[in-house]
Amino acid sequence: MIAAMAQPALDLVIAALERIREKNGRAPRASRTALARLQAPWTASAQHPALRRAHATPEDAVESAIPSGDADARNKADLLAAIRERVGACTKCTHLACSRTQTVFGVGNPDADLMFIGEAPGADEDQQGEPFVGRAGQLLTRILKAMNFEREDVYIANILKCRPDMPAGSFGNRPPTPTEMQTCRPYLLEQIDVIQPSVLVALGAVAVEGLLGTRAAMRELRGRWHTYNGIPLMITYHPAYLLRNQAPSEKRKVWEDMLQVMERLELPISERQRNYFL
């Protein structure tokens, strides 16, 4: 059945390649990514929607007869795993390496369109090895659900991969120092380079400073688009801020920022979502 479905698509590809050769007078070329995708196993679910459209052209088929991004996602997962291994063995910040329970690398879809960046793991994250699992993380999960996302649909990471150490007997969390952020920042940049999200969201002023090297009041940064290496960047309040400040006006600001993110991702937005308050 699958072979029967694949044959017409293959015929379209061959016809399109012949057209390209006749038109340009040279053999068509394919990128390494395209070749890797062509070598990936064909499945019915991998067919691009363009192949299912009656008006698909042979030229469409050259692009669309390639299986979906599963091979790319696997490759990205492998690349992230290699970075994770280096992070887990990192001792560049000796004091953090001594005090941490474990490193907190990142979690989510390696092929995500949307990536969230926080500042540093807290006590809960240090124990569980996953970012945003405490009270602030639970609020972030609620925000994602309101956007019609599950946590596994997006990618979540922090500037720092270790929990900032605290004096013995003290509670709470401290923000990372500029030196700590500068030391750990290359790992985050590698994650972004691998994932290549369509949109980045920086949660809080510390995340902005760690990512962009910019220090400014959140009221001046949030609510408008910035860029990081050509990737659209939305800056908004950290969920922990909303836990401290329960004012509906502040919650609405974060949600308005998320509506902008949804619009940039070209996601449908219902009337209920537009009127939503966190």
Side-chain angles (χ1 to χ4, degrees):
M1 178 66 178
I2 292 176
M5 295 171 65
Q7 188 58 49
L10 182 60
D11 292 340
L12 287 172
V13 172
I14 293 171
L17 291 173
E18 290 290 345
R19 284 191 183 187
I20 293 172
R21 183 173 63 180
E22 292 172 5
K23 183 177 180 180
N24 297 334
R26 59 179 175 82
R29 296 182 179 181
S31 68
R32 291 183 180 181
T33 301
L35 290 173
R37 287 180 175 179
L38 285 169
Q39 291 169 353
W42 178 277
T43 64
S45 62
Q47 296 179 76
H48 192 283
L51 288 180
R52 296 192 292 269
R53 291 199 294 265
H55 62 271
T57 66
E59 286 75 18
D60 291 332
V62 171
E63 295 296 327
S64 60
I66 298 171
S68 69
D70 290 348
D72 276 355
R74 287 195 299 270
N75 186 48
K76 288 181 177 183
D78 290 342
L79 292 171
L80 289 172
I83 303 168
R84 179 193 290 269
E85 187 172 346
R86 287 191 284 113
V87 167
C90 182
T91 57
K92 293 178 182 177
C93 301
T94 308
H95 58 296
L96 300 185
C98 292
S99 64
R100 74 192 180 205
T101 301
Q102 59 190 312
T103 55
V104 181
F105 181 69
V107 67
N109 181 2
D111 204 29
D113 288 326
L114 179 58
M115 180 173 179
F116 288 83
I117 299 171
E119 57 179 67
D124 293 321
E125 290 75 17
D126 178 65
Q127 288 294 323
Q128 298 185 40
E130 183 174 325
F132 284 91
V133 293
R135 290 181 62 220
Q138 293 166 15
L139 179 52
L140 178 59
T141 299
R142 284 175 49 202
I143 293 171
L144 289 173
K145 286 186 177 297
M147 298 171 72
N148 290 330
F149 281 117
E150 300 295 333
R151 280 177 66 101
E152 56 266 27
D153 296 328
V154 303
Y155 198 89
I156 306 172
N158 284 315
I159 299 292
L160 239 61
K161 309 307 183 191
C162 297
R163 183 192 180 198
D165 56 335
M166 297 289 289
S170 60
F171 298 95
N173 301 303
R174 69 164 175 84
T177 67
T179 300
E180 290 167 345
M181 288 192 289
Q182 188 65 26
T183 302
C184 205
R185 183 173 182 267
Y187 293 130
L188 174 67
L189 303 192
E190 286 188 72
Q191 287 174 291
I192 296 172
D193 287 343
V194 169
I195 296 166
Q196 285 295 303
S198 299
V199 172
L200 287 166
V201 176
L203 300 169
V206 175
V208 174
E209 182 180 354
L211 183 63
L212 301 180
T214 300
R215 180 175 293 186
M218 282 298 295
R219 64 178 177 275
E220 300 172 4
L221 295 171
R222 63 148 295 273
R224 59 186 178 87
W225 288 104
H226 306 255
T227 59
Y228 165 77
N229 274 8
I231 302 174
L233 169 66
M234 176 58 65
I235 295 170
T236 195
Y237 291 112
H238 195 286
Y241 168 79
L242 297 182
L243 294 177
R244 297 190 301 268
N245 189 334
Q246 296 286 329
S249 60
E250 299 304 282
K251 294 180 179 180
R252 180 61 193 180
K253 289 175 185 176
V254 172
W255 183 242
E256 287 173 352
D257 296 340
M258 294 304 98
L259 288 175
Q260 289 196 60
V261 169
M262 293 176 69
E263 289 173 351
R264 180 59 67 99
L265 291 171
E266 299 182 348
L267 299 175
I269 302 175
S270 67
E271 194 63 28
R272 180 179 180 182
Q273 286 173 312
R274 290 197 181 278
N275 297 322
Y276 182 72
F277 279 80
L278 298 177

